[in-house]
Amino acid sequence: MTGILDKIRREWVRATVLRRFLGTGPAGRDSIGLVVYLDYEREFGNTAAKEPARRGFESVVSILHEHGMRATWNCVGLVGLHYPETVERLIEEGHEIACHTHSHISPSRVCKSDLHADIAEAKSLFKERFGVDLRGFHSPSDAWSRDLIGVLLRLGFEYDIAYERQGPGRSISLISDRRHGGPKGRRVLLRVPSAGDDWSLFCGDRTPEEIRNGWAGLLTPGHRGETFALGFHPWILGMREGHMRLFRDFVEKVSSLGYVRVLTGREVAEWAGNDSPDTTDLK
Ligand SMILES: [Zn+2]
C-alpha cells in the first residue's frame, strides 16, 4: 500500500539519485527477463494474515515446484525467527532468499540509525541461522529513500527491487548517491524495476480479469529485451481460491512462453556485476 506522501518522496528521491540504465539485461534482446518475487512477511506485515499466509505459503511453494520455477523470496527477519522451517524449505527448493527488513518497517517512517539496525539484524539472523548472505532487498510499502540506499550499500546489498513507472521499455539500472559508498563499500546498487504486484487482489480496485490481463500484457513479445520483476504476497494469494488460481495460471503462462526467462534477483545482479560493460562506478 503506498500513500501519497510515499509517492511524492519516491519521486523526489528518484530526481536526486544518480542513475545509469543498462539497457537489455541478462535475458538478451530476444527474451523477457522476469524476476518473480514474493514478499514473505506472514502476519508480521498484516496481523490478520496468519491463516491465509500459512495456506498461501504451502500452495505457492508447490505451484512453483511443479513448474520448476525459482523465485526471489523477500523475507521478513521475524519470519526467519518464528517460521525457520519454511525458510529452510525455500532454500532446499532452490529459491533465493532476499530481505524485506527485519520487522516489516517502512524505510520512509524511521530514522536512518533505526533503519540500519533493523536491516542489519535481518542480515545477521539469516547469516547465522541459515548461512544465507542476503544480497537483495525489497522495501515494505515499496518505500525507498536516499538513507535506505546508503544503508543497503553499507550492509553489502547488491540490488533492490522497486516499483518503476512504465517507460519506453523497462530496464535495470545502477543507482548511486554521492553521500554514500567509499573505499570499503560498494558505490552502486542495482535496481531491478518492479512492474507491479498483486496488491489489487487485496484492495479490490481492479477485477481479477483486469489483473490477469495486466499480467498477461507484461508478457507480450513486444516486451522482449526488458528485465523486470513482478511481485506476489503468499497471504494475499492464500485469501481466496480464485486468487491462487490466478497465480497458478500466471505461472503456467510464464512457463509456456519460450521467450520468457525467469531469473532470480541475484542472477540479474551477478550478470550486472560480471558481464555488463557498464558496471564502472557512477561518478
Ligand atoms: Zn511487505
Side-chain angles (χ1 to χ4, degrees):
M1 188 163 35
T2 307
I4 185 75
L5 275 178
D6 281 336
K7 280 187 184 152
I8 293 168
R9 199 176 282 118
R10 196 163 57 198
E11 290 307 312
W12 181 81
V13 176
R14 185 174 281 118
T16 54
V17 298
L18 303 168
R19 294 286 286 271
R20 175 185 293 160
F21 288 93
L22 297 182
T24 300
R29 195 174 303 219
D30 297 326
S31 298
I32 293 172
L34 175 69
V35 175
V36 176
Y37 69 94
L38 285 304
D39 287 345
Y40 187 36
E41 56 219 16
R42 297 188 82 117
E43 66 268 29
F44 307 108
N46 173 354
T47 49
K50 193 164 185 165
E51 189 49 27
R54 189 193 59 73
R55 278 198 308 269
F57 176 83
E58 292 300 324
S59 301
V60 168
V61 170
S62 52
I63 290 169
L64 292 172
H65 181 88
E66 277 168 43
H67 292 83
M69 187 178 287
R70 288 170 311 125
T72 295
W73 289 72
N74 303 307
C75 298
V76 162
L78 288 171
V79 170
L81 209 54
H82 295 276
Y83 299 94
E85 69 288 354
T86 66
V87 175
E88 280 158 5
R89 177 139 170 236
L90 294 175
I91 295 168
E92 274 164 32
E93 299 262 347
H95 296 293
E96 179 190 357
I97 306 298
C99 185
H100 197 46
T101 75
H102 184 72
S103 49
H104 206 262
I105 53 167
S106 172
S108 58
R109 298 207 167 87
V110 293
C111 71
K112 189 175 173 182
S113 61
D114 287 353
L115 184 61
H116 185 279
D118 180 272
I119 298 174
E121 192 172 356
K123 186 104 179 157
S124 57
L125 171 79
F126 280 91
K127 185 77 192 162
E128 285 159 25
R129 179 69 179 75
F130 306 103
V132 169
D133 189 16
L134 298 175
R135 306 269 178 84
F137 182 86
H138 175 60
S139 198
S141 311
D142 205 59
W144 58 291
S145 63
R146 296 176 84 180
D147 284 344
L148 174 63
I149 297 169
V151 166
L152 294 179
L153 289 172
R154 219 163 300 126
L155 288 173
F157 285 88
E158 293 177 2
Y159 77 90
D160 78 347
I161 295 173
Y163 180 72
E164 297 281 354
R165 281 173 303 180
Q166 203 155 348
R170 291 182 191 81
S171 168
I172 52 177
S173 61
L174 297 173
I175 57 178
S176 183
D177 181 336
R178 282 193 183 84
R179 300 178 305 169
H180 300 304
K184 284 175 87 181
R186 282 169 60 87
R187 296 190 57 217
V188 293
L189 192 69
L190 181 78
R191 161 65 49 82
V192 180
S194 169
D197 65 14
D198 58 354
W199 192 255
S200 286
L201 282 175
F202 177 65
C203 70
D205 62 346
R206 291 193 294 160
T207 66
E209 209 42 45
E210 285 169 336
I211 293 167
R212 182 198 300 273
N213 292 339
W215 295 344
L218 294 167
L219 301 175
T220 54
H223 291 289
R224 285 180 295 189
E226 297 180 5
T227 304
F228 57 87
L230 192 61
F232 302 88
H233 299 77
W235 66 267
I236 292 179
L237 299 177
M239 285 172 69
R240 289 189 189 176
E241 294 227 343
H243 293 180
M244 196 59 76
R245 211 173 308 123
L246 275 182
F247 179 71
R248 177 184 286 280
D249 291 350
F250 170 78
V251 169
E252 274 168 13
K253 184 167 184 70
V254 167
S255 302
S256 72
L257 295 172
Y259 57 85
V260 177
R261 194 170 145 206
V262 177
L263 301 156
T264 62
R266 182 181 291 234
E267 285 168 342
V268 178
E270 277 166 4
W271 173 86
N274 297 330
D275 301 330
S276 159
D278 290 323
T279 49
T280 48
D281 284 355
L282 295 173
K283 296 287 186 287

